[in-house]
Amino acid sequence: MAQDLENPEKGGSLPYSDIDPKKWREYTEIETGTLWQFGSREKGNGHKLDYHGNYIPQIATQLLTRYSKAGDIVLDLFLGSGTSAIESVNMGRRCVGVELQQKVADYVQGKLGDEPGVSIVCADSGSPEAAEKARHSLRAFGSEDAQFLILHPPYWDIIKFSEDASDLSNAAEVDDFLDGFRRVASNGFDLLEPGRFAALIIGDKYTAGELVPLGFLTMQVMTELGFKLKSIIVKNIEGNEVAKGRTNNLWRYRALAGGFYIFKHEYVILFQKPRSRA
């Protein structure tokens, strides 16, 4: 009997993963704890640090291993430099990626060449147009829905990615950022197959001496949309922020003088879309 998506502890095969829980001793490379520590960014196999703000490939590897099967379709609504698409190809998955900037979408397409398992959509991820184009790409792959959703939005205005007003990094206030994120996450909810999983990768920020908990604020947005919260993973970011490494003493001074602590983590928050709304 197949395992119940809502109650995986009942045993049996996993309908959302190629993992066999009965062979759990063999999966030494798979993280099952809520603290992820990676020494440095993985390079090779198509991955390189060629874009500011992209997440490390190890996150994609862990997530796709746990929450997708070979041949499944991964939907990334903040595609950026294409980490999700590249790792989907490496792991035998397919990917529909939505990217706001045409030049970035073209760049990723150039890296992937004529890879048939990837469809890149250029649109505002929170718009009806993006949802329509993504659905068209899914249908071209023979599916009405994606089997895994990845959301890696800008951490508000920490890095400005473009001049486009639709870009969440240009939001004037945190409420504007959250409103824009809600539209994207709502599209993701609608495009995700019931019972399947979603990952939100995000960090917090300081503004005017005050902590803005973007991770928890966006998490609340997703639960309000109907996602079930499954796990909150804390991942280290030491070794990935070159600029801060060069100015470590300055950051220590600022932290001591300002009464705050230096960020050394970000979140990978896991959700599941219910089979049906309650």
Side-chain angles (χ1 to χ4, degrees):
M1 178 181 295
Q3 188 170 17
D4 186 345
L5 278 168
E6 306 293 332
N7 298 284
E9 68 277 2
K10 289 183 178 180
S13 61
L14 297 173
Y16 57 83
S17 173
D18 290 324
I19 291 173
D20 182 354
K22 296 186 293 295
K23 299 179 180 179
W24 61 270
R25 290 182 178 86
E26 300 178 14
Y27 300 120
T28 56
E29 76 284 1
I30 299 176
E31 298 283 352
T32 54
T34 58
L35 177 62
W36 290 5
Q37 295 178 294
F38 300 109
S40 61
R41 171 183 294 273
E42 183 180 280
K43 298 179 182 178
N45 294 319
H47 296 292
K48 57 183 178 180
L49 183 56
D50 56 352
Y51 188 72
H52 47 270
N54 57 354
Y55 72 92
I56 66 171
Q58 292 98 312
I59 294 178
T61 305
Q62 291 290 328
L63 294 176
L64 298 189
T65 301
R66 286 291 309 275
Y67 300 108
S68 70
K69 301 169 73 73
D72 276 353
I73 304 171
V74 177
L75 174 64
D76 186 334
L77 293 179
F78 296 97
L79 183 63
S81 64
T83 300
S84 300
I86 293 168
E87 198 60 14
S88 292
V89 171
N90 290 343
M91 297 180 64
R93 278 69 168 161
R94 295 171 290 173
C95 181
V96 175
V98 182
E99 167 56 40
L100 178 62
Q101 300 183 73
Q102 186 66 59
K103 65 180 181 180
V104 177
D106 292 343
Y107 176 65
V108 177
Q109 190 66 68
K111 289 198 293 184
L112 293 166
D114 296 326
E115 172 56 50
V118 176
S119 177
I120 299 176
V121 172
C122 185
D124 170 9
S125 297
S127 68
E129 176 194 14
E132 181 180 350
K133 288 184 175 181
R135 185 77 74 184
H136 178 78
S137 293
L138 290 168
R139 288 171 177 162
F141 284 149
S143 179
E144 285 293 316
D145 305 298
Q147 284 74 56
F148 185 61
L149 171 66
I150 294 180
L151 299 174
H152 181 225
Y155 300 176
W156 188 10
D157 57 356
I158 290 180
I159 298 175
K160 186 174 182 178
F161 288 95
S162 75
E163 299 295 331
D164 195 310
S166 300
D167 188 333
L168 297 188
S169 68
N170 291 321
E173 304 291 341
V174 68
D175 287 344
D176 300 321
F177 170 84
L178 294 173
D179 287 343
F181 175 78
R182 181 184 298 275
R183 289 190 290 273
V184 179
S186 179
N187 276 346
F189 187 93
D190 293 341
L191 292 164
L192 182 65
E193 183 178 311
R196 301 303 290 262
F197 291 79
L200 168 63
I201 305 165
I202 194 165
D204 300 323
K205 66 159 292 184
Y206 288 109
T207 295
E210 182 178 358
L211 174 67
V212 181
L214 295 178
F216 297 128
L217 293 174
T218 50
M219 179 182 71
Q220 182 177 355
V221 168
M222 292 191 69
T223 57
E224 289 172 352
L225 288 171
F227 286 100
K228 293 173 56 178
L229 180 63
K230 297 292 289 187
S231 291
I232 301 175
I233 297 160
V234 176
K235 181 204 145 297
N236 71 308
I237 57 175
E238 291 183 272
N240 298 324
E241 293 194 318
V242 177
K244 278 192 178 181
R246 289 197 297 259
T247 58
N248 187 56
N249 290 335
L250 176 60
W251 278 102
R252 283 182 55 80
Y253 168 79
R254 289 173 175 171
L256 291 169
F260 64 87
Y261 288 88
I262 302 166
F263 290 130
K264 294 194 175 183
H265 73 279
E266 60 189 350
Y267 303 105
V268 181
I269 307 177
L270 273 299
F271 305 86
Q272 187 177 26
K273 178 178 177 177
R275 288 184 172 181
S276 61
R277 287 188 181 272

